[in-house]
Amino acid sequence: MMVSYALALVAALQTTPADATAPVHPMTLRSGGPIGADRAALRIAHADLAIEALPERRMLSARVTLTLTAQAATPRIAIDLDDALAVRSIRVDGEVIERPKWRQADGQVVIETPLATGQRAKVEIVYAGSPHVAKRAPWDDGFVWSEWHGKPWFGTTAQDSGCDLWWPCLDFPAGEPASVDLHLTIPTGLSAPANGVLRGIDTLPDGRTTWHWHAGATNPYALAISVGPYREIKGQYRSRFGNIIPLHFWHLEGKEAQAQQLFAEFAPTLDFFESTIGPYPFGNEKVGVVETPYLGMEHQTINAYGNGYKPAPEGFDWLFQHEFSHEWFGNQVTAADWDDFWLHEAFASYMQPLSGKWREGDARYLSMLLIQRQRVANRAPIVSGRSMTTREVNGDTGPGTDVYFKGAWMLHSLRHLIGDRAFFAATRRLVYGRPDPKPGNFTPRFATTRDFERAVTQETGKDFGWFFDAYLRQAALPDLIEQRDDTRLTLRWQVPGNGAFPMPVEVEVDGVRQTLAMTGGTGSIAVPRGAHIVIDPMAWLLRRSPAIERMQAPRVATP
């Protein structure tokens, strides 16, 4: 941000702040889902955001320039932006657009400028206002205004409602800008870590500073502002792939000891992911974490951390590890539609017990998985087969937290079914779009559930559609029906719709294990009279559990 422009922003802000807690238009709350032709035609080749934050007034003032390309002809340009941020002027390719050739209403800025297929346009939008305040971040989105030792401390979170809460964007997964420059002007004495690589810090005559960040392709909701009285810890990590990766942690002043303990987890966690999945996707930028006044979020290369440095029996910080896993599952590979949201959260959730296994072995792995199993709700299919918004996925009629825990258990069962080699090879194909990722030979990509299914088929030579249909496209879990007489045990899988489900089952008879192939969904073995039988002794199978159902059932109060 040029100094002259920064000063001009202050003059532009001599207005009464809007009520940032006022109701937000449904279009702004909506992220993803079916997309109108006007927005679907556009992609962002570059986003340049020059933003000044004024925490004492809880306001923003900004000039954002979007370099747009039209994938199809469109009669107008439609950009998503919350109505609370009032647009003051618009230019297209340097030309001032006067009203009524543009309008702002219903969560959008619409410019009556047609674009032909393949045409590129630079759209400059100047705006100011009070961004929506999150009431319960990160479950509710917006700005979180706080303070630390009397100094401003604030940040953004926007996964559920989307990027348009604070910058003009295309609020759907494919709206991801191919590159971003972010220029943040902030009050004296504060720091503004953000996405990507720091290109420089300018100090203005009155002591304010402007931080200049540059990032490559960035998830729209993963672009973030975090500002506070931070201290920085930094280091380097020599990757097993040969590259040097910068490590940065911005923590609150006065928390040096706790922060050093968490920073010590960065390198071993990075090594776990690189050894298990593949190269860190943003090694040419950084591994970045910033302490925030809310729990956390997977902001690309600047993950939000607000877990309070809590010790855990697993020996690592679950929040740091979970958000960091999204650099692979969410930022490197992004769900093409929110109906595929499990690709982000199921893998991120499964990486935690895998990390426990990597550190301590099978006992830790199983103990962490069994805790997750209690949270599987089975209220709706994980994948609906239609375009979804984030709120539909997370709402009362969507799968909700099953995209985390049921999805993680599905991956656990799949790994057992196809074996480690095929499982991790298919996962690499999903994440990188190729089987042989190395630094420099891949870029961020979009993927669907079907892409992962195809990757599994490529690595196994078999079609596992029956498996994914049962676990992802049905709400109820497969039920393993047991029937036993004096000398025989018979097992039968029952799945919604009575489709095929030839999932093998381990059986332990008097301490001796054997596997029933369950061809056709059934299996039978002879057992000695009075034998002790344990079905699935190592808990590989995600299946119906009457015990968990009873535990989850609402309890009726008694006098």
Side-chain angles (χ1 to χ4, degrees), residues 102-220:
W102 69 268
R103 65 185 183 276
Q104 180 182 19
D106 301 334
Q108 287 193 310
V109 178
V110 179
I111 307 165
E112 299 297 337
T113 299
L115 296 178
T117 302
Q119 185 176 350
R120 178 170 286 209
K122 280 193 173 184
V123 177
E124 177 195 275
I125 301 175
V126 176
Y127 63 94
S130 297
H132 179 68
V133 173
K135 300 178 180 64
R136 186 174 171 257
W139 298 274
D140 165 71
D141 292 325
F143 262 73
V144 179
W145 302 98
S146 186
E147 65 175 34
W148 179 255
H149 293 173
K151 298 177 182 178
W153 178 34
F154 56 94
T156 60
T157 178
Q159 184 187 69
D160 213 29
S161 300
C163 47
D164 49 344
L165 284 174
W166 64 275
W167 66 281
C169 62
L170 298 175
D171 188 15
F172 50 89
E176 178 175 295
S179 63
V180 179
D181 282 290
L182 179 59
H183 317 277
L184 292 175
T185 299
I186 58 172
T188 304
L190 303 180
S191 299
N195 311 79
V197 176
L198 183 62
R199 291 282 179 84
I201 303 173
D202 294 337
T203 301
L204 306 183
D206 62 358
R208 290 174 299 135
T209 56
T210 300
W211 295 58
H212 303 278
W213 293 92
H214 175 79
T218 305
N219 239 330

Side-chain angles (χ1 to χ4, degrees), residues 13 19 31 74 130 156 191 201 245 250 301 358 389 393 470 481 490:
L13 280 169
D19 181 3
S31 183
T74 178
S130 297
T156 60
S191 299
I201 303 173
I245 301 173
W250 285 270
T301 73
W358 189 69
T389 67
V393 173
I481 310 300
T490 300

Side-chain angles (χ1 to χ4, degrees), residues 239-245 274 277-284 328 332 428-429 431-444:
S239 165
R240 57 178 60 218
F241 293 93
N243 55 322
I244 303 296
I245 301 173
E274 289 205 319
I277 306 301
Y280 176 64
F282 308 103
N284 61 337
W328 285 262
Q332 164 57 28
R428 276 187 283 279
R429 285 184 183 271
V431 171
Y432 302 101
R434 59 188 301 160
D436 59 342
K438 297 178 179 60
N441 75 353
F442 60 87
T443 57

